[in-house]
Amino acid sequence: NAGVMQNPRHLVRRRGQEARLRCSPMKGHSHVYWYRQLPEEGLKFMVYLQKENIIDESGMPKERFSAEFPKEGPSILRIQQVVRGDSAAYFCASSLREGRVDYGYTFGSGTRLTVV
Amino acid sequence: GDSVTQMEGPVTLSEEAFLTINCTYTATGYPSLFWYVQYPGEGLQLLLKATKADDKGSNKGFEATYRKETTSFHLEKGSVQVSDSAVYFCALIVLRNQGGKLIFGQGTELSVKP
């Protein structure tokens, strides 16, 4: 009964490269959320997805960032042409369905992206 | 918009001291409230929750009561341990047409000394 699985745990990219972060939600969870935690800051919402649909991307930077949650496979957060300011911990969370907010979310252990 | 404000850290306490971490919220709607804990190098774990006014969430000796009249959800523990050292996040969620998303406070770092 695995929890939310994120990989890789640590990712190092040079400026200008692409970063791909993966998130496999808990079994049976169809809602995925991505958050970013900058150093010394709290978690900021980025995007909320259901299978094959982006529901709310109000927290996503307008350029270079994209997210998907295909019918099969994990959710992917993609950052193109990374810059040093993208260095952060990226957390994925999943929930059973939107009506069960009393359970909160289950978070993964995060991917720590370092841009050099 | 919806928001959460926590007391600033770091908070440094001696073992067995009483802990309070203040949290207040603003929400256009009727939120559910949560406390999450993040240990060094790890993800967030749900500590406790409350879904309606006057509910008290509790877990591992921590407690928080949903106070609608003061829009607060303060975290308390009667006797902290060194193992409680972590960052604590207060959060809310309000269901809307686009579903719900957790809104976090900035986090409060707690350091407990032996």
Side-chain angles (χ1 to χ4, degrees):
Chain A
N1 187 19
V4 176
M5 304 301 293
Q6 288 188 252
N7 66 81
R9 287 294 301 271
H10 300 275
L11 181 62
V12 179
R13 285 287 178 265
R14 296 186 185 279
R15 281 177 294 171
Q17 291 184 318
E18 178 180 287
R20 291 171 71 89
L21 288 62
R22 296 175 194 78
C23 169
S24 296
M26 284 189 69
K27 186 176 181 181
H29 285 195
S30 58
H31 299 247
V32 166
Y33 310 81
W34 286 93
Y35 286 79
R36 177 165 63 175
Q37 185 178 32
L38 293 167
E40 308 300 325
E41 293 188 16
L43 281 85
K44 302 298 183 185
F45 169 79
M46 298 183 75
V47 61
Y48 162 36
L49 310 105
Q50 295 178 21
K51 285 284 187 181
E52 299 184 276
N53 288 302
I54 296 174
I55 306 302
D56 182 352
E57 56 181 347
S58 58
M60 286 278 272
K62 292 292 185 283
E63 298 179 349
R64 302 189 296 109
F65 285 73
S66 61
E68 63 177 9
F69 188 17
K71 187 176 181 181
E72 301 292 337
S75 176
I76 305 289
L77 179 67
R78 182 182 177 204
I79 312 172
Q80 295 177 292
Q81 299 173 346
V82 297
V83 301
R84 288 224 170 105
D86 296 331
S87 296
Y90 292 82
F91 290 97
C92 170
S94 71
S95 66
L96 185 59
R97 56 182 183 272
E98 63 188 25
R100 301 305 299 269
V101 293
D102 56 317
Y103 289 162
Y105 301 169
T106 301
F107 279 83
S109 297
T111 293
R112 283 152 183 83
L113 172 65
T114 302
V115 179
V116 297
Chain B
D2 302 332
S3 66
V4 177
T5 302
Q6 292 180 233
M7 66 185 285
E8 289 194 16
V11 173
T12 302
L13 295 173
S14 298
E15 208 165 19
E16 299 184 2
F18 184 86
L19 169 71
T20 299
I21 300 178
N22 290 338
C23 170
T24 58
Y25 67 89
T26 302
T28 53
Y30 199 44
S32 294
L33 302 173
F34 305 86
W35 277 99
Y36 280 82
V37 57
Q38 184 181 32
Y39 297 102
E42 298 186 11
L44 276 74
Q45 301 174 25
L46 178 63
L47 181 60
L48 53 83
K49 65 183 190 299
T51 57
K52 60 183 186 295
D54 300 325
D55 267 2
K56 177 186 282 187
S58 61
N59 186 26
K60 299 180 182 178
F62 291 90
E63 292 184 341
T65 301
Y66 189 143
R67 302 286 188 201
K68 187 179 179 184
E69 64 276 12
T70 55
T71 62
S72 65
F73 193 53
H74 304 321
L75 182 68
E76 296 181 336
K77 187 175 185 181
S79 176
V80 294
Q81 306 300 313
V82 173
S83 58
D84 293 327
S85 298
V87 181
Y88 292 81
F89 292 92
C90 185
L92 68 80
I93 190 167
V94 180
L95 271 186
R96 295 205 169 86
N97 290 338
Q98 285 188 315
K101 60 178 184 264
L102 271 173
I103 306 295
F104 286 92
Q106 71 271 34
T108 302
E109 182 180 358
L110 170 65
S111 178
V112 180
K113 307 297 184 186

